[in-house]
Amino acid sequence: LGDVYKRQVQQWLNEIAAQDCSASFVPETGEFDTATQTALEAWQIANNITPLGVVDDSVWKQLKADALS
């Protein structure tokens, strides 16, 4: 993912964290760092997705939908 896409993932993870006290906020740096990977994997587990820490097309769409709901 490019930096713009990484930052978008971080923003969505933070939107989810704002709605779900069990989710973690991450720094919006545009870097796919340990905090981002950990938060993504936790979100994947919570959504019954194999926690690979990877954002493919399916994960992108589901993460976006979850963040915007």
Side-chain angles (χ1 to χ4, degrees):
L1 291 174
D3 290 348
V4 172
Y5 297 105
K6 292 175 195 171
R7 189 178 308 271
Q8 183 63 71
V9 167
Q10 291 166 332
Q11 289 171 349
W12 288 338
L13 288 169
N14 286 334
E15 288 291 329
I16 292 165
Q19 301 168 31
D20 179 356
C21 64
S22 68
S24 299
F25 286 95
V26 298
E28 294 180 17
T29 61
E31 298 294 323
F32 200 83
D33 55 13
T34 303
T36 302
Q37 183 161 355
T38 300
L40 177 62
E41 289 174 356
W43 173 83
Q44 288 174 318
I45 290 168
N47 286 276
N48 298 314
I49 300 169
T50 302
L52 300 176
V54 175
V55 181
D56 60 14
D57 189 53
S58 174
V59 168
W60 178 270
K61 289 176 183 174
Q62 195 167 352
L63 184 62
K64 178 181 179 181
D66 199 14
L68 301 178
S69 65

